[in-house]
Structures are given as structure tokens and as C-alpha cells.
Amino acid sequence: MASGAGNKRRISILGSTGSIGTNTLDVVAQLGGRDRFEVAALTGSNNITLLVQQAKATGAELAVTADDALYGELKSALAGTGIAVAAGRSGLIEAAERDAGWVMAAIVGTAGLAPTLAAARRGADIALANKECLVSAGDLFVSAVHAGGGRLIPVDSEHSAIFQSLEDDQRHAVERIVLTASGGPFRTWTRERMAGVTADIARAHPNWSMGLKISIGSASMFNKALEMIEAKHLFDVHPDQIEVVVHPQSIIHSMVGYRDGSVIAQLGCPDMRTAIGYALTYPDRPLLNVDRLDFAKLARLDFEAPDEERFPALRLARTAMQRGGLQGAIMNAAEETAFHAFVDGRIGFLDMADIAEAVMDRLVSTPAASGMEDVFAADEAARAEAADVIAAKEKAA
Ligand code: NAD
Ligand code: MG
């Protein structure tokens, strides 16, 4: 692991301008900022103003925009600062490969896979927010981290909770993983009512403030579907050992059930900075300025079984795990394509799961991946199939 001047820790944040990215910079600032950390690289996409502000404030060595067309704007905004600038896919890889011992993987979607992989291969510790890496590339991604020699530390709140609740020498005694789900804004809605919602309605999460993709994914429970597959790969459990329970208050972030009947849970206020801080200083727990739970005010915690009729995404995750191979990559890419079509107003809310299912069925005989290139090829094929299904739906409407 690289260590900076005066033993400062060298870190990079891929996706620094997003919800996880800005929370990460807040945690870094809380833990001493430039006195304790050297920022090797920051990446964003179209919010150049924020990226420039972050790069200047942290004294980052390199700032990258994923959008090639914005290279000139970024370059002129950082002229004279000594901060290097790059753009596009190659720029993202350059950021990931820059010498930093800890990398926050917080790009949204499959776009995060190649850069996160580049950081893993050179042996950085990966703080993983980008669950799509595990859903698409699964064991191949985990193997790449192991081969690089770095650690894989979950940031997703559920997986951080499980990571914290797992007793290292008792892995053989784990009976089940219980993922909690808030149920999203449509927890009590009928399918008929959900059919007509717009992206603006679907993005309003009751408990968490997050990026657009994951907020919509929480409303459809597609995010939980991704998290089931994420858990399978992170904790090496059988799909039958993964349960989902709806817990509307989002206070219990997830649990591990052991063979003696014990259930160990991690609780906290819904604030991603706790999981980010834990990933940054693991195995230490940092002093963080986040809200503390007030149990008397909380009064109660509720639980209910998820409804797979109204939220078919959960069923799709089980199908993808049963089928194995590249079905995770296919499900993820199809849903990402459908998500963009929903946000653009081209399809309805319930169409997203239908499209993912149709594409999974169409590509069911795709052979297993022998390498990362197969994952990228399956991702592309699924996007093309999804575009096809979306076009057909539009025509029929
Ligand atoms: P966001 O939309 O707020 O931010 C995404 C980041 O990725 C931004 O920096 C954006 O510039 C960058 N980006 C977008 N498109 C890109 C592209 N094509 N190429 C490169 N960079 C691109 O998203 P977020 O909510 O911060 O989520 C980031 C990741 O973390 C997702 O995988 C999400 O599932 C996961 N996650 C988020 C939360 C949360 O609370 N927000 C919780 C758990 C997991
Ligand atoms: Mg989560």
C-alpha cells in the first residue's frame, strides 16, 4: 500500500461528485482533511463546477471528467493550479491506476467496472459502493481483487452492516444473511397505482438521500435485487441463505443469522457516512459527526415480508443467481438501459422489470464468462436487446 509524505494516506475517489463521493469527501474532511490525506485522483462527469471546487479544496493531483467533450472546460478551470486533467474512459483508468492505497469506487452503473477493476488489479484497497461491479462480474471481480492483494470493503449500507456483523472465525456457523429493505416510496402501493408514476415521484426516497439511479432502484426494489447478488459474491453464501425483509425505518441496516439461533445486526441512523467512515479506517471506528440513534424517540421497529408480485425485481435476482453465468451482467445492463428509458419518459415504471426479465430470457443461453471481455460483451448485448424491447414497447403504446 502506498503511503504519502509524512505518512499521510493516499486516496482516490472515483465518482467524487455524486452522492457517495460528496459524503466521502465530508468524511475525509471530518477526519483531518489535508493534514491526514493526500488525494491522488478525483473523477466526475458533467458537474465540472463541483469537480473543480473539490479538486482545489483537496489539492488533488489529478481531476478527471468521464465526458470527453468537457475536457477543455475542466482544463481551463484548473489552469495554473498544478492539478493534472484528463477525460474519458482512458482518463478514468488513469485515475484508478494512480498510486493510492485506498480507492472509493462510487461511479454509478457499469461505467464503474473498468476503472474499479484497474484499481483492484494494482492492489489498492477497494471501498466498494459500485455494486454493479459485483452483479456484472461477480467472482471474476473478487478474484481480481484477491490477485491484486488489496482488500474489498463494502460501502453499501446493508453490506457494511453484514461485514460488521460477521465474526471472522465463525463463517462456517453462518446460517443466513438478512438484507433489510426500506420498501421505498411505493411500499404500500398497488401495481395499478405504480404503473403511472413519473421519475420525479419515484426518486423521492422516504429515508435516504441518494443519487437518481439508486433512488429509482429503491422504489422498484431493483436496488435490493442487485444487493442480493452483491451479498452472494461478497460473503460467498448460497442464494438460499439470502433473505430480504422490509423494514420501513431503515435503522437496522442488515443482519447475520448464526446456527445457534443468534442474529447479529448493525443499527444506525440512515447516513452513508457511517459506512464510508468504517471503510476508510477499517478496522478502526472513526469519530464521526453523524446523528446518534435515540431509542426512546424511535419507539418501534417494523418488519414485513417483501411482496414479489408487486416488486418482481427480487424474483429476477433469484433467477439470475440460479442461472448463474452472465445472467447478473445481463440483468444489470438491461435494467440500466430500462432505467434511462424510464427517466426519459419513454416507458412506464413497471416496464423496467418486464424489460430486464425479457432480456434475461432472450439471452439465457449465453455461455459462462471465461474472462472480463465476456462480461463487457454480455453487457453490450443486453443493452442492445433492451433497446430493442423498449422500441417495440414504444411502438405498441
Ligand atoms: P450519483 O449519481 O450521485 O453519482 C455518480 C457518480 O458517478 C458521479 O460522480 C458521476 O459524475 C459519476 N458518473 C456518472 N456517470 C458516469 C460515467 N458514465 N462514467 C464515469 N462516471 C460517471 O450516484 P450515487 O448515489 O453516489 O451512487 C454511486 C454508486 O454507489 C452506485 O453504484 C450506487 O448503487 C452505490 N450506492 C449509493 C448509495 C447512496 O447512498 N447514494 C448507497 C449505496 C450504494
Ligand atoms: Mg444499499
Side-chain angles (χ1 to χ4, degrees):
M1 196 199 291
S3 64
N7 277 334
K8 286 187 196 175
R9 282 185 71 196
R10 284 178 61 80
I11 64 170
S12 288
I13 304 169
L14 309 176
S16 64
T17 56
S19 161
I20 292 288
T22 48
N23 274 308
T24 304
L25 283 169
D26 181 273
V27 168
V28 167
Q30 284 197 35
L31 300 187
R34 291 172 80 157
D35 292 338
R36 279 191 59 200
F37 297 93
E38 260 175 29
V39 174
L42 297 178
T43 82
S45 49
N46 47 16
N47 192 344
I48 299 296
T49 310
L50 180 58
L51 181 60
V52 165
Q53 187 191 316
Q54 291 178 337
K56 285 182 177 168
T58 58
E61 292 164 12
L62 171 69
V64 177
T65 167
D67 188 343
D68 281 303
L70 297 176
Y71 175 77
E73 192 183 322
L74 181 61
K75 187 151 178 76
S76 53
L78 287 172
T81 60
I83 299 169
V85 170
R89 284 176 188 222
S90 61
L92 295 173
I93 301 291
E94 188 184 334
E97 286 182 340
R98 204 164 254 255
D99 174 32
W102 186 89
V103 175
M104 167 57 77
I107 291 173
V108 63
T110 317
L113 179 54
T116 307
L117 196 60
R121 284 183 171 147
R122 67 167 178 80
D125 284 343
I126 305 294
L128 191 74
N130 179 282
K131 59 194 89 186
E132 294 89 348
C133 282
L134 283 172
V135 176
S136 292
D139 299 335
L140 284 173
F141 179 77
V142 173
S143 305
V145 177
H146 289 158
R151 293 184 293 197
L152 184 57
I153 313 165
V155 171
D156 213 347
S157 58
E158 296 77 2
H159 305 76
S160 174
I162 295 159
F163 187 66
Q164 295 179 54
S165 304
L166 274 174
E167 296 167 89
D168 249 350
D169 54 353
Q170 291 300 316
R171 297 292 279 254
H172 59 280
V174 171
E175 211 165 55
R176 59 184 174 144
I177 299 282
V178 185
L179 289 172
T180 52
S182 69
F186 308 143
R187 181 173 61 87
T188 59
W189 288 33
T190 61
R191 273 180 74 77
E192 291 67 36
R193 205 172 155 208
M194 280 189 256
V197 302
T198 59
D200 270 344
I201 298 172
R203 74 175 302 175
H205 198 277
N207 306 333
W208 299 91
S209 151
M210 309 181 288
L212 181 63
K213 169 84 171 42
I214 185 169
S215 298
I216 304 270
S218 300
S220 64
M221 291 193 81
F222 207 86
N223 180 52
K224 208 51 56 182
L226 299 180
E227 290 182 353
M228 291 164 75
I229 303 179
E230 180 184 15
K232 174 184 179 297
H233 294 295
L234 271 176
F235 307 116
D236 195 21
V237 287
H238 190 275
D240 293 346
Q241 290 176 285
I242 302 169
E243 285 175 26
V244 174
V245 66
V246 174
H247 164 45
Q249 293 94 349
S250 298
I251 297 298
I252 297 181
H253 296 148
S254 278
M255 315 178 241
V256 177
Y258 291 90
R259 65 184 181 189
D260 62 352
S262 289
V263 176
I264 312 250
Q266 185 261 353
L267 286 71
C269 293
D271 186 328
M272 287 308 294
R273 292 176 300 178
T274 299
I276 293 167
Y278 190 70
L280 181 57
T281 63
Y282 171 79
D284 287 338
R285 288 183 186 274
L287 172 63
L288 287 180
N289 180 18
V290 295
D291 287 346
R292 271 39 175 177
L293 278 181
D294 180 336
F295 286 94
K297 264 200 199 142
L298 209 59
R300 56 184 273 187
L301 298 176
D302 296 305
F303 303 95
E304 62 197 42
D307 180 347
E308 297 195 3
E309 291 300 315
R310 287 184 302 127
F311 298 100
L314 301 176
R315 178 170 54 73
L316 295 188
R318 295 210 183 276
T319 304
M321 288 190 284
Q322 256 159 26
R323 291 179 182 171
L326 284 159
Q327 282 275 307
I330 290 162
M331 180 184 91
N332 180 59
E335 198 274 341
E336 204 173 302
T337 309
F339 154 77
H340 287 295
F342 170 63
V343 170
D344 292 343
R346 296 174 56 201
I347 57 168
F349 181 75
L350 298 176
D351 290 332
M352 288 190 287
D354 288 351
I355 290 163
E357 184 162 28
V359 174
M360 287 166 72
D361 288 345
R362 281 194 193 191
L363 298 178
V364 71
S365 51
T366 309
S370 56
M372 275 297 168
E373 46 307 329
D374 296 335
V375 175
F376 291 112
D379 179 274
E380 232 171 84
R383 277 168 210 276
E385 288 291 342
D388 213 43
V389 180
I390 291 164
K393 262 191 199 288
E394 279 185 307
K395 219 169 154 192

